Amino acid sequence: MVKQVIKFKSIVYLIFVSALFCQEIYINKITIDGLLTATDNQIFRNTGLYPSEKFTDSNGNGFYDDSEDFDDENFNKNFDKGTQISNEHMQIDFERFTTAIKSLWRLRVFSDVQIYITNTYANYIDLKIVVEESPIVNEIKFIGNKKIKENILLDKIEISKLQRISVDDIYNAREIIINEYLEKNFHNAKINYELIDTDNEYSKDLLFKIDEGNKIKIKEINFIGNSNFRKSELLKSFNNINEKKWYKFWQGNYKRDAFDLDIINLETFYRNNGYRDMRVKEK
């Protein structure tokens, strides 16, 4: 099986820190870019990172001062700072960001997550969280599949309408389709895919583009390096594959697993006839 390497966008921290902190550090503001179906509150709840309560920044310094008005969101009559983000050394605890990103990955909603520190103050920081949501499947379509019906392929792949999909999901479906063609002796089938925009920003049509190629048949089996046995004798050890004959049109199918089994049978035949060091080489 050919393994495809899937590359995701990197998780990046861009850190703009102008001075070492010597006191507890809190989150002031959090801006979130890239949300389509998820909400700010879902991001806050799953990351454990919360901004300070909203306030009127009367003096324009970017953080809350005692006399300024604020939205008392939990009705405790106190201004609540955002999440404390400092460690025991009174420095920014970057592990909190790593944990937050992992928590968002586990939701299987996002294909990319990045966290940036955009501003620093005396004991506050501003954060920017940038996400890219994985699309939701609107329709699944196939083109080029003349030998295998669409409903068969749909039953085989593990993707359905209204499912949120990742690149891994698409890759696994592609491998399933390739294996289905291998079972039918189409060893040169090529499967590509395309995500097509729909009327909804968050949903995509998934199109599999199939080039089936031709069936592979075994026209003839030759043995190179054999000088002690007739070809007919060696062919008797082949129980799983055969040469294609015009009068036996159903034979001659090539399957790698079956071929490998017959190579083992061939080696066993030689060893049983005293050739203990015999090996079959792949060219």
Side-chain angles (χ1 to χ4, degrees):
M1 182 183 297
V2 178
K3 184 176 181 181
Q4 179 179 352
V5 178
I6 306 298
K7 293 184 179 179
F8 288 99
K9 294 180 180 178
S10 299
I11 299 170
V12 180
Y13 299 129
L14 295 183
I15 305 162
F16 304 99
V17 180
S18 59
L20 293 176
F21 295 98
C22 58
Q23 53 190 325
E24 292 179 346
I25 307 163
Y26 297 88
I27 297 175
N28 180 36
K29 296 178 182 178
I30 299 178
T31 57
I32 303 175
D33 288 350
L35 293 181
L36 297 174
T37 60
T39 65
D40 287 4
N41 283 335
Q42 287 173 323
I43 298 295
F44 299 153
R45 185 171 63 252
N46 283 282
T47 61
L49 303 177
Y50 289 86
S52 300
E53 288 182 325
K54 294 179 181 179
F55 60 91
T56 302
D57 189 12
S58 302
N59 60 9
N61 65 355
F63 54 90
Y64 176 75
D65 295 303
D66 289 341
S67 60
E68 292 175 332
D69 295 332
F70 65 92
D71 293 338
D72 189 12
E73 294 177 2
N74 60 3
F75 305 104
N76 65 354
K77 296 183 180 181
N78 294 314
F79 174 77
D80 292 300
K81 299 177 180 179
T83 301
Q84 181 182 333
I85 202 69
S86 51
N87 56 27
E88 67 273 15
H89 305 295
M90 300 304 174
Q91 297 173 337
I92 296 176
D93 184 3
F94 294 110
E95 285 297 320
R96 292 293 299 275
F97 300 147
T98 301
T99 301
I101 289 172
K102 288 179 178 178
S103 295
L104 293 180
W105 276 115
R106 283 195 292 269
L107 296 176
R108 295 181 59 82
V109 172
F110 305 106
S111 59
D112 190 32
V113 181
Q114 302 179 32
I115 296 180
Y116 302 82
I117 296 176
T118 56
N119 287 302
T120 62
Y121 310 96
N123 62 329
Y124 282 95
I125 62 172
D126 290 340
L127 292 182
K128 183 177 183 179
I129 300 176
V130 181
V131 298
E132 183 176 330
E133 291 192 20
S134 298
I136 295 173
V137 176
N138 180 55
E139 296 284 351
I140 303 172
K141 303 175 182 178
F142 303 87
I143 59 172
N145 55 310
K146 298 176 183 178
K147 301 299 181 181
I148 303 180
K149 293 181 179 179
E150 182 172 306
N151 64 316
I152 294 176
L153 295 177
L154 283 172
D155 287 341
K156 294 289 183 179
I157 65 175
E158 299 175 354
I159 297 178
S160 57
K161 290 177 61 174
L162 303 182
Q163 174 185 337
R164 194 181 292 274
I165 54 169
S166 66
V167 177
D168 277 343
D169 295 327
I170 299 174
Y171 168 71
N172 290 335
R174 176 181 172 275
E175 289 296 296
I176 289 171
I177 295 171
I178 288 175
N179 287 332
E180 190 66 18
Y181 273 97
L182 287 175
E183 286 295 316
K184 297 186 180 300
N185 297 304
F186 288 88
H187 292 263
N188 294 321
K190 297 178 182 178
I191 317 296
N192 294 309
Y193 74 90
E194 183 179 352
L195 289 171
I196 302 172
D197 292 338
T198 67
D199 293 337
N200 295 319
E201 189 178 5
Y202 56 82
S203 68
K204 303 283 185 182
D205 287 338
L206 175 58
L207 173 64
F208 287 102
K209 300 177 180 180
I210 301 173
D211 179 1
E212 294 178 326
N214 297 317
K215 270 190 175 182
I216 292 181
K217 290 282 188 177
I218 301 173
K219 183 178 180 180
E220 188 175 1
I221 300 174
N222 294 309
F223 300 92
I224 299 173
N226 165 62
S227 57
N228 295 287
F229 301 99
R230 295 190 301 274
K231 177 179 176 178
S232 58
E233 290 181 278
L234 298 181
L235 283 177
K236 288 180 181 179
S237 62
F238 280 59
N239 301 322
N240 301 289
I241 62 173
N242 308 95
E243 295 177 320
K244 181 183 177 182
K245 304 293 184 182
W246 67 267
Y247 53 88
K248 293 183 178 181
F249 59 87
W250 62 88
Q251 292 186 351
N253 293 328
Y254 172 76
K255 292 184 179 180
R256 181 69 198 198
D257 291 346
F259 176 75
D260 290 341
L261 287 174
D262 279 344
I263 292 300
I264 294 173
N265 292 337
L266 180 63
E267 291 175 341
T268 301
F269 169 82
Y270 267 94
R271 290 184 183 119
N272 288 342
N273 283 275
Y275 293 86
R276 301 296 181 185
D277 297 327
M278 179 269 185
R279 293 289 184 275
V280 176
K281 295 181 179 179
E282 262 195 59
K283 189 173 181 181

PDB file of all heavy atoms in Angstrom, residues 175-205:
ATOM      1  N   GLU A 175      -8.227   5.395   0.020  1.00  0.00           N
ATOM      2  CA  GLU A 175      -7.583   4.078   0.110  1.00  0.00           C
ATOM      3  C   GLU A 175      -8.603   2.954  -0.031  1.00  0.00           C
ATOM      4  O   GLU A 175      -8.330   1.924  -0.644  1.00  0.00           O
ATOM      5  CB  GLU A 175      -6.842   3.957   1.440  1.00  0.00           C
ATOM      6  CG  GLU A 175      -5.592   4.820   1.536  1.00  0.00           C
ATOM      7  CD  GLU A 175      -4.548   4.416   0.532  1.00  0.00           C
ATOM      8  OE1 GLU A 175      -4.034   3.288   0.620  1.00  0.00           O
ATOM      9  OE2 GLU A 175      -4.261   5.230  -0.372  1.00  0.00           O
ATOM     10  N   ILE A 176      -9.788   3.147   0.538  1.00  0.00           N
ATOM     11  CA  ILE A 176     -10.846   2.138   0.435  1.00  0.00           C
ATOM     12  C   ILE A 176     -11.266   1.966  -1.026  1.00  0.00           C
ATOM     13  O   ILE A 176     -11.461   0.840  -1.511  1.00  0.00           O
ATOM     14  CB  ILE A 176     -12.047   2.530   1.313  1.00  0.00           C
ATOM     15  CG1 ILE A 176     -11.684   2.374   2.795  1.00  0.00           C
ATOM     16  CG2 ILE A 176     -13.273   1.686   0.977  1.00  0.00           C
ATOM     17  CD1 ILE A 176     -12.719   2.940   3.749  1.00  0.00           C
ATOM     18  N   ILE A 177     -11.393   3.082  -1.741  1.00  0.00           N
ATOM     19  CA  ILE A 177     -11.780   3.013  -3.150  1.00  0.00           C
ATOM     20  C   ILE A 177     -10.693   2.313  -3.961  1.00  0.00           C
ATOM     21  O   ILE A 177     -10.982   1.462  -4.816  1.00  0.00           O
ATOM     22  CB  ILE A 177     -12.042   4.432  -3.701  1.00  0.00           C
ATOM     23  CG1 ILE A 177     -13.243   5.062  -2.991  1.00  0.00           C
ATOM     24  CG2 ILE A 177     -12.297   4.382  -5.208  1.00  0.00           C
ATOM     25  CD1 ILE A 177     -13.452   6.525  -3.316  1.00  0.00           C
ATOM     26  N   ILE A 178      -9.435   2.645  -3.705  1.00  0.00           N
ATOM     27  CA  ILE A 178      -8.324   1.990  -4.411  1.00  0.00           C
ATOM     28  C   ILE A 178      -8.347   0.482  -4.170  1.00  0.00           C
ATOM     29  O   ILE A 178      -8.186  -0.316  -5.102  1.00  0.00           O
ATOM     30  CB  ILE A 178      -6.976   2.589  -3.959  1.00  0.00           C
ATOM     31  CG1 ILE A 178      -6.812   4.011  -4.523  1.00  0.00           C
ATOM     32  CG2 ILE A 178      -5.811   1.717  -4.422  1.00  0.00           C
ATOM     33  CD1 ILE A 178      -5.570   4.727  -4.039  1.00  0.00           C
ATOM     34  N   ASN A 179      -8.558   0.077  -2.916  1.00  0.00           N
ATOM     35  CA  ASN A 179      -8.593  -1.358  -2.595  1.00  0.00           C
ATOM     36  C   ASN A 179      -9.768  -2.059  -3.278  1.00  0.00           C
ATOM     37  O   ASN A 179      -9.659  -3.231  -3.668  1.00  0.00           O
ATOM     38  CB  ASN A 179      -8.672  -1.559  -1.080  1.00  0.00           C
ATOM     39  CG  ASN A 179      -7.361  -1.232  -0.391  1.00  0.00           C
ATOM     40  OD1 ASN A 179      -6.292  -1.362  -0.981  1.00  0.00           O
ATOM     41  ND2 ASN A 179      -7.419  -0.795   0.848  1.00  0.00           N
ATOM     42  N   GLU A 180     -10.873  -1.347  -3.420  1.00  0.00           N
ATOM     43  CA  GLU A 180     -12.029  -1.919  -4.107  1.00  0.00           C
ATOM     44  C   GLU A 180     -11.692  -2.181  -5.583  1.00  0.00           C
ATOM     45  O   GLU A 180     -12.079  -3.212  -6.144  1.00  0.00           O
ATOM     46  CB  GLU A 180     -13.220  -0.968  -3.991  1.00  0.00           C
ATOM     47  CG  GLU A 180     -14.540  -1.543  -4.460  1.00  0.00           C
ATOM     48  CD  GLU A 180     -15.048  -2.687  -3.598  1.00  0.00           C
ATOM     49  OE1 GLU A 180     -14.576  -2.831  -2.448  1.00  0.00           O
ATOM     50  OE2 GLU A 180     -15.919  -3.435  -4.072  1.00  0.00           O
ATOM     51  N   TYR A 181     -10.954  -1.282  -6.183  1.00  0.00           N
ATOM     52  CA  TYR A 181     -10.530  -1.493  -7.569  1.00  0.00           C
ATOM     53  C   TYR A 181      -9.482  -2.603  -7.674  1.00  0.00           C
ATOM     54  O   TYR A 181      -9.477  -3.373  -8.646  1.00  0.00           O
ATOM     55  CB  TYR A 181     -10.004  -0.188  -8.171  1.00  0.00           C
ATOM     56  CG  TYR A 181     -11.113   0.651  -8.771  1.00  0.00           C
ATOM     57  CD1 TYR A 181     -11.691   1.689  -8.047  1.00  0.00           C
ATOM     58  CD2 TYR A 181     -11.596   0.388 -10.053  1.00  0.00           C
ATOM     59  CE1 TYR A 181     -12.723   2.444  -8.585  1.00  0.00           C
ATOM     60  CE2 TYR A 181     -12.620   1.129 -10.602  1.00  0.00           C
ATOM     61  CZ  TYR A 181     -13.187   2.157  -9.869  1.00  0.00           C
ATOM     62  OH  TYR A 181     -14.222   2.894 -10.399  1.00  0.00           O
ATOM     63  N   LEU A 182      -8.598  -2.697  -6.679  1.00  0.00           N
ATOM     64  CA  LEU A 182      -7.616  -3.783  -6.682  1.00  0.00           C
ATOM     65  C   LEU A 182      -8.301  -5.147  -6.655  1.00  0.00           C
ATOM     66  O   LEU A 182      -7.852  -6.094  -7.312  1.00  0.00           O
ATOM     67  CB  LEU A 182      -6.677  -3.646  -5.474  1.00  0.00           C
ATOM     68  CG  LEU A 182      -5.644  -2.522  -5.528  1.00  0.00           C
ATOM     69  CD1 LEU A 182      -4.886  -2.437  -4.209  1.00  0.00           C
ATOM     70  CD2 LEU A 182      -4.666  -2.741  -6.675  1.00  0.00           C
ATOM     71  N   GLU A 183      -9.385  -5.246  -5.889  1.00  0.00           N
ATOM     72  CA  GLU A 183     -10.132  -6.499  -5.814  1.00  0.00           C
ATOM     73  C   GLU A 183     -10.685  -6.908  -7.169  1.00  0.00           C
ATOM     74  O   GLU A 183     -10.920  -8.087  -7.429  1.00  0.00           O
ATOM     75  CB  GLU A 183     -11.273  -6.369  -4.793  1.00  0.00           C
ATOM     76  CG  GLU A 183     -10.829  -6.380  -3.346  1.00  0.00           C
ATOM     77  CD  GLU A 183     -10.213  -7.713  -2.954  1.00  0.00           C
ATOM     78  OE1 GLU A 183     -10.776  -8.761  -3.334  1.00  0.00           O
ATOM     79  OE2 GLU A 183      -9.157  -7.713  -2.301  1.00  0.00           O
ATOM     80  N   LYS A 184     -10.913  -5.917  -8.024  1.00  0.00           N
ATOM     81  CA  LYS A 184     -11.456  -6.198  -9.352  1.00  0.00           C
ATOM     82  C   LYS A 184     -10.367  -6.164 -10.419  1.00  0.00           C
ATOM     83  O   LYS A 184     -10.652  -6.015 -11.610  1.00  0.00           O
ATOM     84  CB  LYS A 184     -12.575  -5.202  -9.665  1.00  0.00           C
ATOM     85  CG  LYS A 184     -13.756  -5.315  -8.713  1.00  0.00           C
ATOM     86  CD  LYS A 184     -14.899  -4.432  -9.126  1.00  0.00           C
ATOM     87  CE  LYS A 184     -16.073  -4.571  -8.154  1.00  0.00           C
ATOM     88  NZ  LYS A 184     -16.594  -5.951  -8.087  1.00  0.00           N
ATOM     89  N   ASN A 185      -9.099  -6.243  -9.954  1.00  0.00           N
ATOM     90  CA  ASN A 185      -7.939  -6.330 -10.843  1.00  0.00           C
ATOM     91  C   ASN A 185      -7.648  -5.054 -11.625  1.00  0.00           C
ATOM     92  O   ASN A 185      -7.013  -5.091 -12.682  1.00  0.00           O
ATOM     93  CB  ASN A 185      -8.089  -7.514 -11.819  1.00  0.00           C
ATOM     94  CG  ASN A 185      -8.145  -8.842 -11.099  1.00  0.00           C
ATOM     95  OD1 ASN A 185      -7.242  -9.182 -10.340  1.00  0.00           O
ATOM     96  ND2 ASN A 185      -9.221  -9.578 -11.315  1.00  0.00           N
ATOM     97  N   PHE A 186      -8.096  -3.923 -11.100  1.00  0.00           N
ATOM     98  CA  PHE A 186      -7.709  -2.638 -11.665  1.00  0.00           C
ATOM     99  C   PHE A 186      -6.570  -2.083 -10.815  1.00  0.00           C
ATOM    100  O   PHE A 186      -6.783  -1.336  -9.863  1.00  0.00           O
ATOM    101  CB  PHE A 186      -8.896  -1.670 -11.685  1.00  0.00           C
ATOM    102  CG  PHE A 186      -9.935  -2.014 -12.707  1.00  0.00           C
ATOM    103  CD1 PHE A 186     -10.971  -2.877 -12.396  1.00  0.00           C
ATOM    104  CD2 PHE A 186      -9.872  -1.500 -13.988  1.00  0.00           C
ATOM    105  CE1 PHE A 186     -11.941  -3.207 -13.334  1.00  0.00           C
ATOM    106  CE2 PHE A 186     -10.825  -1.822 -14.943  1.00  0.00           C
ATOM    107  CZ  PHE A 186     -11.864  -2.681 -14.614  1.00  0.00           C
ATOM    108  N   HIS A 187      -5.342  -2.455 -11.177  1.00  0.00           N
ATOM    109  CA  HIS A 187      -4.186  -2.123 -10.347  1.00  0.00           C
ATOM    110  C   HIS A 187      -3.602  -0.754 -10.658  1.00  0.00           C
ATOM    111  O   HIS A 187      -2.703  -0.299  -9.953  1.00  0.00           O
ATOM    112  CB  HIS A 187      -3.104  -3.203 -10.503  1.00  0.00           C
ATOM    113  CG  HIS A 187      -3.502  -4.517  -9.912  1.00  0.00           C
ATOM    114  ND1 HIS A 187      -3.119  -4.928  -8.659  1.00  0.00           N
ATOM    115  CD2 HIS A 187      -4.287  -5.520 -10.410  1.00  0.00           C
ATOM    116  CE1 HIS A 187      -3.624  -6.120  -8.409  1.00  0.00           C
ATOM    117  NE2 HIS A 187      -4.333  -6.507  -9.455  1.00  0.00           N
ATOM    118  N   ASN A 188      -4.079  -0.132 -11.714  1.00  0.00           N
ATOM    119  CA  ASN A 188      -3.557   1.187 -12.087  1.00  0.00           C
ATOM    120  C   ASN A 188      -4.548   2.302 -11.832  1.00  0.00           C
ATOM    121  O   ASN A 188      -4.386   3.411 -12.346  1.00  0.00           O
ATOM    122  CB  ASN A 188      -3.153   1.186 -13.571  1.00  0.00           C
ATOM    123  CG  ASN A 188      -1.985   0.252 -13.843  1.00  0.00           C
ATOM    124  OD1 ASN A 188      -1.061   0.174 -13.037  1.00  0.00           O
ATOM    125  ND2 ASN A 188      -2.031  -0.459 -14.956  1.00  0.00           N
ATOM    126  N   ALA A 189      -5.579   2.020 -11.058  1.00  0.00           N
ATOM    127  CA  ALA A 189      -6.591   3.041 -10.788  1.00  0.00           C
ATOM    128  C   ALA A 189      -5.984   4.214 -10.016  1.00  0.00           C
ATOM    129  O   ALA A 189      -5.195   4.017  -9.083  1.00  0.00           O
ATOM    130  CB  ALA A 189      -7.745   2.438  -9.999  1.00  0.00           C
ATOM    131  N   LYS A 190      -6.351   5.415 -10.421  1.00  0.00           N
ATOM    132  CA  LYS A 190      -5.887   6.629  -9.743  1.00  0.00           C
ATOM    133  C   LYS A 190      -7.098   7.376  -9.210  1.00  0.00           C
ATOM    134  O   LYS A 190      -8.068   7.604  -9.938  1.00  0.00           O
ATOM    135  CB  LYS A 190      -5.101   7.509 -10.709  1.00  0.00           C
ATOM    136  CG  LYS A 190      -3.827   6.853 -11.238  1.00  0.00           C
ATOM    137  CD  LYS A 190      -3.120   7.761 -12.241  1.00  0.00           C
ATOM    138  CE  LYS A 190      -1.870   7.080 -12.793  1.00  0.00           C
ATOM    139  NZ  LYS A 190      -1.186   7.934 -13.807  1.00  0.00           N
ATOM    140  N   ILE A 191      -7.017   7.754  -7.940  1.00  0.00           N
ATOM    141  CA  ILE A 191      -8.132   8.430  -7.275  1.00  0.00           C
ATOM    142  C   ILE A 191      -7.669   9.791  -6.774  1.00  0.00           C
ATOM    143  O   ILE A 191      -6.752   9.871  -5.956  1.00  0.00           O
ATOM    144  CB  ILE A 191      -8.682   7.604  -6.087  1.00  0.00           C
ATOM    145  CG1 ILE A 191      -8.805   6.116  -6.437  1.00  0.00           C
ATOM    146  CG2 ILE A 191      -9.997   8.196  -5.604  1.00  0.00           C
ATOM    147  CD1 ILE A 191      -9.779   5.806  -7.526  1.00  0.00           C
ATOM    148  N   ASN A 192      -8.296  10.843  -7.264  1.00  0.00           N
ATOM    149  CA  ASN A 192      -8.074  12.188  -6.751  1.00  0.00           C
ATOM    150  C   ASN A 192      -9.389  12.722  -6.200  1.00  0.00           C
ATOM    151  O   ASN A 192     -10.454  12.135  -6.439  1.00  0.00           O
ATOM    152  CB  ASN A 192      -7.535  13.113  -7.849  1.00  0.00           C
ATOM    153  CG  ASN A 192      -6.154  12.710  -8.320  1.00  0.00           C
ATOM    154  OD1 ASN A 192      -5.253  12.522  -7.507  1.00  0.00           O
ATOM    155  ND2 ASN A 192      -5.970  12.537  -9.622  1.00  0.00           N
ATOM    156  N   TYR A 193      -9.302  13.814  -5.469  1.00  0.00           N
ATOM    157  CA  TYR A 193     -10.535  14.378  -4.909  1.00  0.00           C
ATOM    158  C   TYR A 193     -10.500  15.897  -4.993  1.00  0.00           C
ATOM    159  O   TYR A 193      -9.457  16.516  -5.169  1.00  0.00           O
ATOM    160  CB  TYR A 193     -10.734  13.937  -3.456  1.00  0.00           C
ATOM    161  CG  TYR A 193      -9.813  14.623  -2.472  1.00  0.00           C
ATOM    162  CD1 TYR A 193     -10.192  15.824  -1.854  1.00  0.00           C
ATOM    163  CD2 TYR A 193      -8.564  14.096  -2.163  1.00  0.00           C
ATOM    164  CE1 TYR A 193      -9.347  16.457  -0.955  1.00  0.00           C
ATOM    165  CE2 TYR A 193      -7.715  14.730  -1.272  1.00  0.00           C
ATOM    166  CZ  TYR A 193      -8.112  15.907  -0.673  1.00  0.00           C
ATOM    167  OH  TYR A 193      -7.281  16.550   0.205  1.00  0.00           O
ATOM    168  N   GLU A 194     -11.685  16.474  -4.866  1.00  0.00           N
ATOM    169  CA  GLU A 194     -11.807  17.933  -4.868  1.00  0.00           C
ATOM    170  C   GLU A 194     -12.934  18.320  -3.920  1.00  0.00           C
ATOM    171  O   GLU A 194     -13.989  17.669  -3.898  1.00  0.00           O
ATOM    172  CB  GLU A 194     -12.103  18.429  -6.277  1.00  0.00           C
ATOM    173  CG  GLU A 194     -12.183  19.937  -6.402  1.00  0.00           C
ATOM    174  CD  GLU A 194     -12.461  20.393  -7.828  1.00  0.00           C
ATOM    175  OE1 GLU A 194     -12.441  19.540  -8.740  1.00  0.00           O
ATOM    176  OE2 GLU A 194     -12.720  21.599  -8.029  1.00  0.00           O
ATOM    177  N   LEU A 195     -12.706  19.359  -3.131  1.00  0.00           N
ATOM    178  CA  LEU A 195     -13.759  19.922  -2.288  1.00  0.00           C
ATOM    179  C   LEU A 195     -14.328  21.136  -3.006  1.00  0.00           C
ATOM    180  O   LEU A 195     -13.604  22.087  -3.310  1.00  0.00           O
ATOM    181  CB  LEU A 195     -13.205  20.307  -0.918  1.00  0.00           C
ATOM    182  CG  LEU A 195     -12.835  19.141   0.003  1.00  0.00           C
ATOM    183  CD1 LEU A 195     -12.101  19.645   1.244  1.00  0.00           C
ATOM    184  CD2 LEU A 195     -14.080  18.363   0.416  1.00  0.00           C
ATOM    185  N   ILE A 196     -15.620  21.105  -3.286  1.00  0.00           N
ATOM    186  CA  ILE A 196     -16.263  22.124  -4.101  1.00  0.00           C
ATOM    187  C   ILE A 196     -17.155  22.996  -3.227  1.00  0.00           C
ATOM    188  O   ILE A 196     -17.941  22.486  -2.416  1.00  0.00           O
ATOM    189  CB  ILE A 196     -17.079  21.475  -5.225  1.00  0.00           C
ATOM    190  CG1 ILE A 196     -16.168  20.592  -6.090  1.00  0.00           C
ATOM    191  CG2 ILE A 196     -17.760  22.538  -6.087  1.00  0.00           C
ATOM    192  CD1 ILE A 196     -16.913  19.766  -7.105  1.00  0.00           C
ATOM    193  N   ASP A 197     -17.038  24.302  -3.388  1.00  0.00           N
ATOM    194  CA  ASP A 197     -17.846  25.241  -2.616  1.00  0.00           C
ATOM    195  C   ASP A 197     -19.336  25.054  -2.905  1.00  0.00           C
ATOM    196  O   ASP A 197     -19.737  24.680  -4.014  1.00  0.00           O
ATOM    197  CB  ASP A 197     -17.454  26.686  -2.935  1.00  0.00           C
ATOM    198  CG  ASP A 197     -16.053  27.041  -2.446  1.00  0.00           C
ATOM    199  OD1 ASP A 197     -15.567  26.361  -1.535  1.00  0.00           O
ATOM    200  OD2 ASP A 197     -15.461  27.991  -2.983  1.00  0.00           O
ATOM    201  N   THR A 198     -20.144  25.323  -1.874  1.00  0.00           N
ATOM    202  CA  THR A 198     -21.599  25.307  -2.024  1.00  0.00           C
ATOM    203  C   THR A 198     -22.144  26.679  -1.630  1.00  0.00           C
ATOM    204  O   THR A 198     -21.395  27.616  -1.394  1.00  0.00           O
ATOM    205  CB  THR A 198     -22.225  24.217  -1.136  1.00  0.00           C
ATOM    206  OG1 THR A 198     -22.034  24.578   0.257  1.00  0.00           O
ATOM    207  CG2 THR A 198     -21.576  22.862  -1.380  1.00  0.00           C
ATOM    208  N   ASP A 199     -23.454  26.772  -1.544  1.00  0.00           N
ATOM    209  CA  ASP A 199     -24.067  28.043  -1.145  1.00  0.00           C
ATOM    210  C   ASP A 199     -23.766  28.379   0.314  1.00  0.00           C
ATOM    211  O   ASP A 199     -23.848  29.539   0.719  1.00  0.00           O
ATOM    212  CB  ASP A 199     -25.585  27.989  -1.352  1.00  0.00           C
ATOM    213  CG  ASP A 199     -25.955  27.908  -2.827  1.00  0.00           C
ATOM    214  OD1 ASP A 199     -25.113  28.321  -3.656  1.00  0.00           O
ATOM    215  OD2 ASP A 199     -27.052  27.419  -3.138  1.00  0.00           O
ATOM    216  N   ASN A 200     -23.441  27.361   1.108  1.00  0.00           N
ATOM    217  CA  ASN A 200     -23.107  27.579   2.511  1.00  0.00           C
ATOM    218  C   ASN A 200     -21.599  27.625   2.676  1.00  0.00           C
ATOM    219  O   ASN A 200     -20.880  26.763   2.159  1.00  0.00           O
ATOM    220  CB  ASN A 200     -23.670  26.449   3.391  1.00  0.00           C
ATOM    221  CG  ASN A 200     -25.176  26.436   3.393  1.00  0.00           C
ATOM    222  OD1 ASN A 200     -25.811  27.486   3.448  1.00  0.00           O
ATOM    223  ND2 ASN A 200     -25.758  25.251   3.313  1.00  0.00           N
ATOM    224  N   GLU A 201     -21.119  28.605   3.411  1.00  0.00           N
ATOM    225  CA  GLU A 201     -19.682  28.786   3.582  1.00  0.00           C
ATOM    226  C   GLU A 201     -19.037  27.613   4.306  1.00  0.00           C
ATOM    227  O   GLU A 201     -17.863  27.304   4.088  1.00  0.00           O
ATOM    228  CB  GLU A 201     -19.430  30.087   4.346  1.00  0.00           C
ATOM    229  CG  GLU A 201     -17.972  30.498   4.413  1.00  0.00           C
ATOM    230  CD  GLU A 201     -17.771  31.814   5.139  1.00  0.00           C
ATOM    231  OE1 GLU A 201     -18.770  32.356   5.683  1.00  0.00           O
ATOM    232  OE2 GLU A 201     -16.629  32.297   5.175  1.00  0.00           O
ATOM    233  N   TYR A 202     -19.805  26.932   5.155  1.00  0.00           N
ATOM    234  CA  TYR A 202     -19.236  25.887   6.001  1.00  0.00           C
ATOM    235  C   TYR A 202     -19.354  24.490   5.389  1.00  0.00           C
ATOM    236  O   TYR A 202     -18.820  23.523   5.944  1.00  0.00           O
ATOM    237  CB  TYR A 202     -19.916  25.881   7.376  1.00  0.00           C
ATOM    238  CG  TYR A 202     -21.425  25.715   7.323  1.00  0.00           C
ATOM    239  CD1 TYR A 202     -22.001  24.462   7.199  1.00  0.00           C
ATOM    240  CD2 TYR A 202     -22.261  26.822   7.380  1.00  0.00           C
ATOM    241  CE1 TYR A 202     -23.372  24.301   7.142  1.00  0.00           C
ATOM    242  CE2 TYR A 202     -23.637  26.683   7.326  1.00  0.00           C
ATOM    243  CZ  TYR A 202     -24.191  25.419   7.203  1.00  0.00           C
ATOM    244  OH  TYR A 202     -25.543  25.275   7.124  1.00  0.00           O
ATOM    245  N   SER A 203     -20.064  24.327   4.266  1.00  0.00           N
ATOM    246  CA  SER A 203     -20.239  22.996   3.690  1.00  0.00           C
ATOM    247  C   SER A 203     -19.578  22.907   2.322  1.00  0.00           C
ATOM    248  O   SER A 203     -19.428  23.903   1.612  1.00  0.00           O
ATOM    249  CB  SER A 203     -21.724  22.637   3.579  1.00  0.00           C
ATOM    250  OG  SER A 203     -22.366  23.446   2.613  1.00  0.00           O
ATOM    251  N   LYS A 204     -19.180  21.688   1.955  1.00  0.00           N
ATOM    252  CA  LYS A 204     -18.510  21.438   0.687  1.00  0.00           C
ATOM    253  C   LYS A 204     -19.088  20.170   0.059  1.00  0.00           C
ATOM    254  O   LYS A 204     -19.522  19.251   0.755  1.00  0.00           O
ATOM    255  CB  LYS A 204     -17.004  21.237   0.887  1.00  0.00           C
ATOM    256  CG  LYS A 204     -16.274  22.372   1.583  1.00  0.00           C
ATOM    257  CD  LYS A 204     -16.032  23.542   0.675  1.00  0.00           C
ATOM    258  CE  LYS A 204     -15.182  24.606   1.386  1.00  0.00           C
ATOM    259  NZ  LYS A 204     -14.977  25.792   0.513  1.00  0.00           N
ATOM    260  N   ASP A 205     -19.078  20.126  -1.265  1.00  0.00           N
ATOM    261  CA  ASP A 205     -19.327  18.878  -1.973  1.00  0.00           C
ATOM    262  C   ASP A 205     -17.992  18.158  -2.120  1.00  0.00           C
ATOM    263  O   ASP A 205     -16.980  18.776  -2.474  1.00  0.00           O
ATOM    264  CB  ASP A 205     -19.917  19.142  -3.366  1.00  0.00           C
ATOM    265  CG  ASP A 205     -21.371  19.607  -3.299  1.00  0.00           C
ATOM    266  OD1 ASP A 205     -22.033  19.331  -2.285  1.00  0.00           O
ATOM    267  OD2 ASP A 205     -21.832  20.242  -4.271  1.00  0.00           O
TER     268      ASP A 205
END
